[in-house]
Amino acid sequence: MTFLKKNIIVVWMKKSISLTEGSVWKSILIFTLPILLGMFFQQLYNTFDAIIVGHYTGKEAFAAVGGGTGFFINLLIGFCGGLSSGATITISQFFGAKRESDLSLAVHTSFFLAIVMGIVVTVLGLSLSGVAMHVIETPDDIYPNAVAYLNIFFIGVIPMFLYNMGAGILRAIGDSRTPFYILVIACFLNIGLDYLFVAKLGMGVSGVAWATVICQCVSMILIFIPLVKTNEAYGFRLSQLKPSPFLMLKMIKLGVPSGLYSTMYTVSNLIMMTFVNKFPTSTIAGWTAWGKLDSLFWMSVSSIGMALSTFAGQNFGAKQYARIKKGAWQGLLIMDAITVVIVIIFRTVGKYFYGWLIPGETEVIATAIEITMFLTPAFFLYVPNEILAGIIGGVGKTYISMLITLFGICGTRMIWLFVFCQGTTDFIRVLYCYPISWLISAALFFCYYKFGKWIPKSDNGISS
């Protein structure tokens, strides 16, 4: 036991890595892999939430823990999560520049910011859950479960924000492994609690929500262990938990555009959900089922985007500007290759996955398969959006991603939905808003990357 404990501590206390030297593509892959695996395990327990609810409660409860509730959660948490990315960018730049005193001050300022954001989101979430479900026209047979789920979920928001900030700090200094270990623990704990609360105790969607809250609290505790134990500049000391007004303003300046960037996606999806909710419950449940599979693609592309944001931040701090550009193109190639594999898998095993997810619901499964066949080829249109947003945001130009998303994603979707989809009974017509908006947004990102002044021309050299 002592040997095991010592080895666990050694792994957890492993020094951070620098992304400013060595092979670019290898650095990106090595840093991305734990982020991707962590997101996989996070999605695994989200999927088990849905599976257990689908098996033991029914399609109404199944639709309640996805669909509109997920969009509302992403709206509030996505904005504040974007705000926290301002802290991550700042920390990664200080780490790359080896400014240790500024790094320490930024870490403690970021945790103060996380606490404030957590309080705000908790209050807003508990106050607006019912209103939000009415606004997106949640059907009457789904509404009670949806509100019950949200009211419990938002109790765990402050622990969630503290965990996410801690994980962001570790990733900013090159440690993507520790957050992965914690997510593995949280995954298996959540699955066990889901089964206990829903299958054995019959708590329904409330059981799923309480399992999530408990796991958020455990994750928060675990993320602080390496931050408290380390003597490095990024370590956390409760006595130093006070904000630097200058750094707070800098983080907010960088974070607000990122928060709006995330919020714009969610708002457009919420509006999309108002159109989805006009279809039968089986269609809504099919859309929810597709979301469980679809999230595997999003976590893949998001993990690369997060890795490239840290990569760009560290190299920007170290003035390795040409290395940043090389990382952008190699990141695109890596993600395109991953997307090929994902599309093949989704189109091959989708029907079996949906049958396992919500057995016996033939209409739901058929709808989910139809969505899969339509949307998966369009994934390649989205890849440049996440990759270039990560690179451009990592060097501090977060407002560019916000503006491109405002016009390319949100504007396009709103025009399509309100002009071409009013009163339609064709669900596929509604779905066209996704590939069209991805294409226009990707074109705007490429134009800015090619012609915009997002990076200095001087260069410290580059590692191949």
Side-chain angles (χ1 to χ4, degrees), residues 333-399:
L333 291 174
I334 291 169
M335 191 59 229
D336 279 337
I338 293 173
T339 302
V340 170
V341 176
I342 288 174
V343 170
I344 292 172
I345 292 174
F346 280 16
R347 295 173 72 87
T348 303
V349 306
K351 61 181 178 181
Y352 305 107
F353 174 80
Y354 300 132
W356 178 53
L357 190 65
I358 186 164
E361 297 287 349
T362 54
E363 287 187 52
V364 174
I365 294 169
T367 299
I369 292 172
E370 186 179 17
I371 295 169
T372 303
M373 294 303 176
F374 176 76
L375 283 181
T376 47
F379 281 169
F380 296 97
L381 299 175
Y382 180 76
V383 170
N385 291 275
E386 194 73 31
I387 301 304
L388 296 181
I391 288 288
I392 293 168
V395 303
K397 304 292 185 179
T398 54
Y399 67 93

Side-chain angles (χ1 to χ4, degrees), residues 43-97:
Q43 182 56 35
L44 181 63
Y45 73 67
N46 287 336
T47 301
F48 267 89
D49 285 350
I51 290 172
I52 292 172
V53 170
H55 279 254
Y56 292 97
T57 57
K59 65 182 179 182
E60 291 80 13
F62 178 82
V65 299
T69 55
F71 289 132
F72 179 57
I73 288 169
N74 290 337
L75 177 65
L76 291 178
I77 293 179
F79 177 73
C80 289
L83 278 177
S84 68
S85 72
T88 302
I89 292 169
T90 302
I91 290 167
S92 66
Q93 291 181 358
F94 284 154
F95 182 79

Side-chain angles (χ1 to χ4, degrees), residues 4 41 71 97-98 132-133 148 163 199 212 241 264 281 328 368 408:
L4 178 61
F41 277 94
F71 289 132
K98 304 187 186 301
M133 293 301 98
Y163 164 77
T212 300
L241 184 60
M264 286 171 189
T281 298

Side-chain angles (χ1 to χ4, degrees), residues 184-205:
V184 171
I185 295 170
C187 171
F188 289 106
L189 176 62
N190 191 278
I191 291 171
L193 291 175
D194 277 344
Y195 184 75
L196 173 64
F197 291 162
V198 179
K200 294 298 183 181
L201 300 181
M203 295 172 64
V205 296

Side-chain angles (χ1 to χ4, degrees), residues 101-247:
S101 60
D102 289 331
L103 176 60
S104 178
L105 191 57
V107 165
H108 292 89
T109 299
S110 66
F111 274 119
F112 183 88
L113 184 61
I115 293 171
V116 173
M117 291 188 302
I119 293 172
V120 171
V121 171
T122 299
V123 173
L124 289 175
L126 293 174
S127 303
L128 300 177
S129 294
V131 175
M133 293 301 98
H134 274 305
V135 168
I136 64 172
E137 302 179 18
T138 302
D140 292 339
D141 57 346
I142 297 174
Y143 179 86
N145 279 326
V147 174
Y149 177 81
L150 289 171
N151 285 337
I152 297 171
F153 176 89
F154 280 106
I155 294 174
V157 162
I158 294 176
M160 177 190 298
F161 273 41
L162 288 172
Y163 164 77
N164 286 335
M165 186 62 79
I169 289 168
L170 291 176
R171 293 186 186 113
I173 55 89
D175 179 8
S176 57
R177 297 180 183 180
T178 299
F180 164 64
Y181 300 145
I182 294 173
L183 284 173
V184 171
I185 295 170
C187 171
F188 289 106
L189 176 62
N190 191 278
I191 291 171
L193 291 175
D194 277 344
Y195 184 75
L196 173 64
F197 291 162
V198 179
K200 294 298 183 181
L201 300 181
M203 295 172 64
V205 296
S206 296
V208 173
W210 280 117
T212 300
V213 170
I214 292 170
C215 288
Q216 294 295 352
C217 292
V218 171
S219 298
M220 176 193 67
I221 293 169
L222 294 178
I223 202 68
F224 272 102
I225 293 176
L227 292 169
V228 170
K229 286 184 174 291
T230 185
N231 292 319
E232 300 289 341
Y234 60 85
F236 175 78
R237 302 292 178 267
L238 185 60
S239 60
Q240 299 177 32
L241 184 60
K242 52 186 178 181
S244 159
F246 170 76
L247 288 179

Side-chain angles (χ1 to χ4, degrees), residues 22-44:
S23 171
V24 171
W25 70 270
K26 288 181 181 178
S27 297
I28 293 171
L29 280 179
I30 291 171
F31 186 68
T32 299
L33 184 59
I35 299 176
L36 177 58
L37 291 175
M39 287 187 173
F40 170 79
F41 277 94
Q42 191 171 27
Q43 182 56 35
L44 181 63

